Amino acid sequence: MSTPEAEPSADRVSRYAWLALALVLGAVTALYFRALDYPFLDWDDPIYVTGRVALQELAAGHDGALAKLLSPATAWGGDFWEYYPVRDLTYALDVSLGGLQPGPMHATNLALHLLTVLLVFALGRRLGLGPLPALFAAALFGLHPLCVEPVAWISGRKDLLYVALGLAGLLALDRALTMREGGPVWVGWAAAYLAWLLAFGSKGPAVIFVALAAGWVWWRAREDDLPLRPNLVRLAPLAVLATAWVIFSVVLAKQSGVLRAYPDGLVGSWFRAVGAPLRGLLTALVPLDLSPSYLPFARSPWTDPHSWATLALVALVFLWHRRRGPFPPAAVLLGLGALLAVLPTSGVVPVSQPRADRFLYLPLVLLCWLAAWGLQRLTGSLRGGRRVAAVALPLALIAAYTTVTHRYVHAWRGDLPLWEHVYQRDRTHPMANLNLGIEALKRGKLTLARPFFETALKHQPKLVGAWDNLGVTWYR
């Protein structure tokens, strides 16, 4: 039972945490502020933004341009059909306010990231994290290098949007679950449904929030002795809508060719997918090799160390469970949630690009909560110098990540510096060689461009763009 003196102290800590959160938001803004002056990139921006006829017509003030933009008949993304009307609506708002210019679009990306940081803190508090651990989770997420790609890249909008909307839905859900008897519970549920439906219209992987919402309901039932079945029944319509959306998307993706054959066969590809959570975790822990494009896996799935190591970790977790008893509900929720969130990067569904840094934006949220929860448990059992060391280590980690983020943001200031950044880490990277060759071709340096295209084709013979541009160098 708390004493009267302890309650004002707790309030004071909470107020200081909100002030510190404002400082974190300021640090994130300062880190990405220079990106507001960055131009459009040739990396997908012409496909999703600058080359969209409907956006060009909207910028010119043509009647009916918005309806054309949001129509399924004109939805097009890259080499495949995709219909994300909520994402396109945000682009339309940017164009309406500032024209077809990169500055307002970069500002919207940054605003969405700041909103997600705020939601990470607020939901962390509702998960039972203290003010300081929740602040640690928000800072770790907001300043992490894995967030650079979706924030600094205008075409990364859909990842920012679906995660922010999905988290907003979880916050509304938790408020509905914990609302006192007789309160307007339906308002919370309606707000949650609205946020999740908007998330579905932002990017396909948003359907993962159905499973996260079910896990959240289970966790609340365990923590607060709330009824489980009635609240799961309330999620049933959302599950039906998500299933219909998945079927709709898969059918269209199959028709448009975005779904490919499993590169290693069904069994081999699924075995490689087992290693995706560990691969994502290692990328989050040591984000030193980030890239906007990853090479296909070179080795056989049966020699993939990530898959075998993941199976070994699962065995260790099982033995721990047998000896020490069940894990705390919060750890189960966050751990399984991170596994679910990493599914789009696993290769379970054979899409054209299963690996990308931006795909780890949602898993990173859950990993930051899990790290903060572990830190809270650890510091609660330590005293004196050990406790100070346990607090100093996360601060040093955030400082190190911030340094990496600062450097990586600078790489996104244009096509040439971006691909030079990738090339410096791997001189055989096909996409880096292709794009550096294109940049040289733009400047009329044919003899400089030709070796880049030849290197790209040596390591990825089916790279059509490299063949086309290599032909241009010989023709001229």
Side-chain angles (χ1 to χ4, degrees):
M1 184 174 178
S2 61
T3 62
E5 294 81 4
E7 292 178 1
S9 177
D11 290 340
R12 189 160 53 250
V13 170
S14 182
R15 286 196 299 271
Y16 288 152
W18 281 104
L19 177 60
L21 177 63
L23 294 177
V24 168
L25 294 174
V28 174
T29 302
L31 200 58
Y32 287 99
F33 191 77
R34 56 185 166 167
L36 301 184
D37 294 326
Y38 289 176
F40 289 113
L41 299 179
D42 287 337
W43 178 251
D44 282 1
D45 282 350
I47 296 170
Y48 293 110
V49 187
T50 56
R52 298 281 292 275
V53 175
L55 282 176
Q56 294 171 1
E57 292 177 349
L58 187 66
H62 292 184
D63 294 335
L66 181 59
K68 182 178 180 180
L69 177 69
L70 302 180
S71 170
T74 57
W76 182 259
D79 298 324
F80 55 93
W81 190 97
E82 64 176 34
Y83 183 53
Y84 298 144
V86 178
R87 175 205 61 186
D88 292 341
L89 182 60
T90 65
Y91 285 145
L93 290 173
D94 290 337
V95 170
S96 298
L97 294 174
L100 195 56
Q101 300 295 326
M105 295 189 177
H106 280 303
T108 301
N109 277 19
L110 177 55
L112 286 169
H113 183 53
L114 292 173
L115 173 61
T116 305
V117 173
L118 187 61
L119 288 167
V120 168
F121 177 80
L123 281 167
R125 295 289 286 127
R126 300 189 79 86
L127 273 167
L129 296 178
L132 295 181
L135 181 66
F136 165 70
L140 181 62
F141 173 78
L143 300 168
H144 198 282
L146 271 176
C147 297
V148 172
E149 181 175 325
V151 178
W153 185 36
I154 291 172
S155 293
R157 170 76 55 86
K158 52 191 173 185
D159 293 276
L160 301 169
L161 195 57
Y162 97 83
V163 172
L165 289 168
L167 294 180
L170 286 180
L171 182 60
L173 170 68
D174 194 65
R175 291 181 66 86
L177 292 175
T178 56
M179 198 169 289
R180 293 181 179 179
E181 195 67 31
V185 176
W186 68 269
V187 175
W189 279 96
Y193 261 75
L194 176 61
W196 289 325
L197 291 175
L198 290 173
F200 292 174
S202 303
K203 193 174 182 182
V207 295
I208 292 172
F209 277 101
V210 178
L212 293 179
W216 197 284
V217 167
W218 169 83
W219 168 74
R220 268 297 174 200
R222 294 289 299 270
E223 288 290 309
D224 299 342
D225 197 25
L226 297 176
L228 176 61
R229 183 174 296 180
N231 288 316
L232 288 178
V233 169
R234 289 173 176 171
L235 285 174
L238 184 70
V240 172
L241 291 171
T243 303
W245 181 256
V246 168
I247 294 173
F248 174 71
S249 300
V250 168
V251 169
L252 289 171
K254 188 175 181 180
Q255 291 177 350
S256 60
V258 68
L259 288 183
R260 311 291 175 87
Y262 284 103
D264 300 301
L266 178 63
V267 177
S269 296
W270 280 44
F271 181 76
R272 193 191 298 279
V274 170
L278 181 59
R279 198 177 297 114
L281 177 62
L282 292 176
T283 303
L285 289 175
V286 191
L288 299 177
D289 217 13
L290 301 181
S291 169
S293 174
Y294 284 95
L295 299 176
F297 294 106
R299 67 175 71 196
S300 165
W302 307 109
T303 60
D304 190 331
H306 298 97
S307 298
W308 291 109
T310 300
L311 292 176
L313 287 174
V314 170
L316 289 174
V317 169
F318 177 75
L319 292 175
W320 178 282
H321 174 74
R322 290 289 299 272
R323 292 192 174 192
R324 299 293 184 94
F327 290 95
V332 174
L333 170 66
L334 298 176
L336 292 180
L339 291 176
L340 284 171
V342 84
L343 276 179
T345 70
S346 67
V348 169
V349 179
V351 295
S352 55
Q353 188 184 7
R355 298 177 66 204
D357 295 338
R358 60 190 179 277
F359 295 166
L360 295 176
Y361 193 68
L362 176 58
L364 183 63
V365 172
L366 292 137
L367 289 175
C368 289
W369 280 333
L370 194 58
W373 177 85
L375 178 66
Q376 180 170 277
R377 301 264 296 191
L378 178 64
T379 55
S381 62
L382 297 177
R383 295 291 182 271
R386 291 183 177 180
R387 187 171 188 177
V388 172
V391 172
L393 181 61
L395 295 177
L397 187 66
I398 290 175
Y401 284 162
T402 302
T403 301
V404 177
T405 300
H406 174 77
R407 293 174 179 172
Y408 194 35
V409 170
H410 191 58
W412 285 82
R413 67 190 184 277
D415 289 288
L416 183 59
L418 175 61
W419 294 111
E420 284 179 339
H421 168 86
V422 179
Y423 184 76
Q424 289 169 2
R425 284 154 178 75
D426 182 3
R427 293 181 178 272
T428 66
H429 196 290
M431 292 304 299
N433 278 278
L434 169 61
N435 284 279
L436 288 176
I438 291 173
E439 291 298 319
L441 199 59
K442 288 178 180 177
R443 299 194 300 273
K445 298 182 178 180
L446 304 184
T447 55
L448 178 62
R450 193 174 297 127
F452 284 121
F453 298 136
E454 291 171 345
T455 303
L457 290 169
K458 179 180 178 181
H459 296 279
Q460 194 171 338
K462 295 182 179 181
L463 193 58
V464 176
W467 282 112
D468 292 341
N469 286 283
L470 181 61
V472 170
T473 65
W474 286 111
Y475 179 77
R476 290 185 181 179

